[in-house]
Amino acid sequence: MADSDSDNDGLSLFDIAWEDVLYVKLFPLLSLKDLFNLRCCSHLAKTFVDNGLRRLQEINLSGNNSPHLELAFAVLSENCRNVRVINLAHCNWLQDGTLYPLLKYNHRLTKINLSECLNITPRSMQPIIIGCKQLTTLKLSHCHWLTIGAMEALTLHHTKIQELDISHCAALNERCISVFLLNCRMLQTLSLSNVPAVTDNLLLAIAKHSKFIKNLNLVGCYLITDRGVLALAFCCKELESLMVRECPSVTERSLAVLRGRVFIDRPRVYQPDMNMVPNMGFPRLFLQV
């Protein structure tokens, strides 16, 4: 028994089969923080983690602005080659130089979130536009750097996008968004919150081209009216939620048509000029006897 114990003294974690056991059973249980702590233990541990990062399919650093995080991100960019989902929302340290290599070498990306990444430029969109042909979700909320040209290039190369968030992207115009809608007919979720270019004409384009739209965010789009919302009501049969807070020209005249089958973020309001009964979705009928 003693001889058996002495024989096991030289064994370590890394004597277990890497490909069949450690990468399959252990690696998925470790957070990025755990992996980097392990990576610092020894040269062998560094080799193990770096090789394992090539299998990593999801990177989520949303809101993480820890000091020197860009150094850790450089390690990810150097080693990751199979990432499918990346969430870097609210990462103030992120710049083109650190983001570009990761996007360049991960062409299988399907979901990308760069919302409120304020220190990057349209240059970072180039590998997304050219290389990420399987992209289905793109979130760019509050990205003031998103230009009309970048949006047009995205439209030219992508037809499979199902979820797009360009809220607060004030540089975009109605035409570039309309052309995108014409090209991406499978769109299911669209957020245009506080985009000044959104008008009834754009809602008509959504009604015409986005038949599968389920979730639509128009909060703060102050130029839209009942005309555009009614077009959505009659043409977008798959619509499940509609956000129209802070849209002063959208009234119960159009919203009443949607209530009952669509979630609306505004409560029903009694409007005397419509002869609406409170808590009912249809006009009251006055019959003369």
Side-chain angles (χ1 to χ4, degrees):
M1 189 70 176
D3 292 340
S4 177
D5 291 341
S6 62
D7 291 341
N8 293 331
D9 288 344
L11 296 178
S12 72
L13 170 68
F14 301 112
D15 290 315
I16 302 174
W18 289 16
E19 296 293 334
D20 297 331
V21 181
L22 293 184
Y23 286 141
V24 176
K25 300 295 184 180
L26 175 63
F27 205 85
L29 301 178
L30 301 178
S31 66
L32 284 176
K33 182 178 180 180
D34 294 332
L35 291 174
F36 276 93
N37 286 335
L38 177 60
R39 191 174 181 270
C40 296
C41 292
S42 67
H43 287 293
L44 186 57
K46 178 178 180 296
T47 301
F48 169 76
V49 172
D50 288 350
N51 287 337
L53 289 176
R54 296 183 179 275
R55 299 167 172 262
L56 195 66
Q57 294 193 10
E58 182 173 353
I59 297 175
N60 186 356
L61 296 174
S62 176
N64 193 333
N65 290 290
S66 303
H68 311 300
L69 189 59
E70 64 273 12
L71 299 178
F73 192 79
V75 173
L76 296 177
S77 297
E78 181 180 352
N79 293 285
C80 294
R81 293 295 182 270
N82 196 37
V83 181
R84 310 297 175 88
V85 179
I86 184 168
N87 186 351
L88 300 174
H90 313 282
C91 290
N92 300 327
W93 48 269
L94 192 65
Q95 297 183 353
D96 290 340
T98 51
L99 177 61
Y100 192 94
L102 181 68
L103 298 176
K104 181 179 180 181
Y105 294 112
N106 288 275
H107 292 165
R108 298 180 181 178
L109 280 163
T110 60
K111 298 181 180 180
I112 300 175
N113 188 347
L114 299 177
S115 296
E116 297 194 45
C117 291
L118 305 180
N119 295 315
I120 59 179
T121 71
R123 177 175 178 267
S124 292
M125 288 291 292
Q126 182 180 348
I128 297 176
I129 294 169
I130 302 299
C132 302
K133 297 300 185 180
Q134 301 178 33
L135 189 66
T136 60
T137 299
L138 181 60
K139 297 184 179 182
L140 301 172
S141 175
H142 289 84
C143 291
H144 61 84
W145 46 264
L146 183 63
T147 62
I148 294 173
M151 194 68 186
E152 290 176 342
L154 180 70
T155 300
L156 186 63
H157 289 85
H158 288 271
T159 60
K160 299 179 181 179
I161 293 179
Q162 298 177 16
E163 180 176 357
L164 178 69
D165 185 353
I166 49 174
S167 301
H168 296 268
C169 294
L172 302 180
N173 62 21
E174 181 181 294
R175 181 183 177 278
C176 74
I177 301 174
S178 296
V179 174
F180 175 85
L181 295 172
L182 178 62
N183 196 51
C184 288
R185 300 295 185 99
M186 303 305 294
L187 201 63
Q188 296 182 11
T189 299
L190 177 62
S191 182
L192 299 171
S193 172
N194 290 282
V195 176
V198 178
T199 65
D200 282 342
N201 289 336
L202 190 55
L203 297 194
L204 294 175
I206 295 174
K208 181 178 180 180
H209 303 303
S210 303
K211 301 295 185 181
F212 300 101
I213 195 78
K214 292 184 177 181
N215 306 292
L216 184 58
N217 185 350
L218 301 172
V219 171
C221 297
Y222 56 89
L223 295 179
I224 65 174
T225 69
D226 287 332
R227 174 173 170 263
V229 175
L230 283 171
L232 297 174
F234 292 121
C235 297
C236 300
K237 301 300 183 182
E238 303 293 325
L239 192 63
E240 296 178 359
S241 69
L242 178 66
M243 318 296 258
V244 285
R245 284 181 291 107
E246 301 175 29
C247 300
S249 298
V250 175
T251 70
E252 200 61 30
R253 289 181 182 276
S254 58
L255 297 181
V257 179
L258 290 164
R259 293 197 188 277
R261 67 179 179 91
V262 176
F263 170 79
I264 299 174
D265 64 338
R266 276 170 42 176
R268 182 179 286 107
V269 178
Y270 174 60
Q271 294 177 306
D273 61 320
M274 285 188 62
N275 296 321
M276 293 291 295
V277 179
N279 299 321
M280 291 186 61
F282 301 97
R284 179 190 300 172
L285 298 179
F286 294 92
L287 301 179
Q288 185 175 1
V289 181

